[in-house]
Amino acid sequence: MKVTVFNGSPAGLNSATHVIARAFLKGAASAGAETENIFLSEHKIFQCRDCFSCWFHTPGKCVMSDDMESLLKLYNESDIVCFATPVFTWNMTSLLKNFADRLVPLKSPLVTEDHGNFDLQDADARMQKTIVISNCGFPGENNFDVLRAAVACCNPTLTIFRNCGKLLKSKDPSVMETVKQWLAIVEQSGKELITQGKVSEDTESALDTPLMSVQDYVNYIGM
């Protein structure tokens, strides 16, 4: 079982998004999964040219030569793919959106429909599970509404949305203890996904545990 995180945070290794992804991968690895953590900020990925050559002239292969060739191979080899991103202006970062756009060689010019949701049909049948990890520096679940809608078509098996995200890298001892306890739940979710094929309702519910009250958080960040 191979699990790969594609982290779209410009901060890469130093990102709060990585704090969550690292815990998730730790749990998956403890259950025997092979894990890999890709920081998109470290890769050269050109923007899609919208030429459709990967559909009609070189099926499954982009005409551009950059790091997406190896990343697509890794994507295809993964049993669980995780899209990880902070919320930037309501949505995923441009790094992750650009990566997602360049996945178009995996699609075909055929429309598919599932319960009223229309998408492009996969060129080859795919059995991968998709996970979405995101954090936002603001309180409130509404900050993930756009991202939640954006990823709906990939039918994620699990979404981990963490508001009050600035707490994830706090050096305050009391905050660090709270974050540590929550990250243990994230780790458990990664372990369960490998051992059980899904995350239990109790664990999924615990992922939504508040780290701090809204008013305390607003005071904490000085805004």
Side-chain angles (χ1 to χ4, degrees):
M1 182 74 71
K2 185 174 181 62
V3 184
T4 304
V5 169
F6 294 95
N7 187 335
S9 173
L13 184 65
N14 296 315
S15 65
T17 302
H18 173 56
V19 173
I20 308 173
R22 181 177 57 202
F24 179 80
L25 289 179
K26 182 180 179 182
S30 73
E34 176 187 356
T35 64
E36 191 152 356
N37 205 352
I38 299 297
F39 299 104
L40 297 177
S41 60
E42 299 175 358
H43 292 269
K44 181 174 68 174
I45 304 174
F46 299 131
Q47 290 183 326
C48 178
R49 294 178 180 175
D50 196 29
C51 66
F52 301 113
S53 292
C54 62
W55 287 353
F56 302 111
H57 301 298
T58 56
K61 183 175 176 59
C62 182
V63 296
M64 293 186 287
S65 180
D66 60 9
D67 290 346
M68 275 304 293
E69 185 172 357
S70 61
L71 293 179
L72 273 176
K73 183 175 184 296
L74 177 59
Y75 186 97
N76 279 327
E77 292 172 347
S78 301
D79 301 290
I80 298 175
V81 171
C82 178
F83 297 111
T85 179
V87 172
F88 273 25
T89 316
W90 314 301
N91 206 342
M92 68 184 75
T93 63
S94 58
L95 281 170
L96 185 59
K97 181 60 169 69
N98 189 43
F99 173 77
D101 287 345
R102 290 291 305 279
L103 295 176
V104 69
L106 305 180
K107 295 290 186 177
S108 68
L110 298 172
V111 174
T112 184
E113 183 266 340
D114 181 24
H115 296 91
N117 294 318
F118 293 88
D119 196 2
L120 293 170
Q121 183 172 299
D122 292 326
D124 297 308
R126 312 191 69 79
M127 302 300 292
Q128 292 168 318
K129 288 184 171 70
T130 301
I131 309 299
V132 179
I133 290 175
S134 183
N135 85 94
C136 179
F138 289 99
E141 285 301 303
N142 63 296
N143 293 290
F144 300 103
D145 287 351
V146 176
L147 178 60
R148 187 177 284 109
V151 301
C153 282
C154 70
N155 192 27
T157 299
L158 175 68
T159 56
I160 303 176
F161 293 148
R162 179 70 274 164
N163 57 25
C164 301
K166 289 185 179 295
L167 299 176
L168 294 172
K169 298 180 68 180
S170 173
K171 300 302 181 184
D172 182 295
S174 62
V175 173
M176 290 175 68
E177 180 58 31
T178 299
V179 169
K180 180 181 177 181
Q181 293 174 13
W182 181 75
L183 290 175
I185 301 169
V186 175
E187 187 176 330
Q188 179 65 21
S189 72
K191 183 176 181 179
E192 288 180 6
L193 196 60
I194 301 303
T195 57
Q196 303 171 182
K198 62 179 181 180
V199 176
S200 68
E201 291 183 6
D202 287 345
T203 298
E204 193 162 356
S205 177
L207 287 170
D208 293 330
T209 301
L211 299 182
M212 185 179 285
S213 72
V214 172
Q215 189 56 59
D216 285 345
Y217 182 70
V218 171
N219 294 336
Y220 176 84
I221 61 176
M223 297 177 70

